[in-house]
Amino acid sequence: MSAEDRAAMIRSMVASLDSKLAENPENLDGWIRLVRSYAVLGDRGAAEGALQRADVAFPRESDGGRRLADLARELGLEPVLEGQ
């Protein structure tokens, strides 16, 4: 598989995860995987957007919200979470 084909396959998998989270936003581990995936792909805007969408299901004062905020800090993403 060429590097271009591999990159396209990975982006397709990330897009699929993103779609699944739109249908089931209560999946904290899925949001963490999605944010990390976008960060690894170098798509900072998409990673930050995913954090903002995850904030709806996992407000910052919840355990999930704190985990997402820690992830955002670890990855150097802004805004850390909506409302912080």
Side-chain angles (χ1 to χ4, degrees), residues 21-76:
L21 289 169
E23 295 173 17
N24 178 18
E26 301 297 320
N27 181 348
L28 177 60
D29 290 334
W31 285 112
I32 290 170
R33 278 192 311 276
L34 183 65
V35 171
R36 281 193 185 280
S37 296
Y38 280 133
V40 167
L41 290 172
D43 194 341
R44 181 183 185 92
E48 290 171 348
L51 283 168
Q52 289 176 346
R53 289 183 290 136
D55 188 37
V56 174
F58 300 97
R60 65 183 172 150
E61 63 277 353
S62 70
D63 288 336
R66 286 188 288 276
R67 285 183 61 195
L68 289 163
D70 289 345
L71 175 64
R73 279 189 289 279
E74 174 189 326
L75 298 173

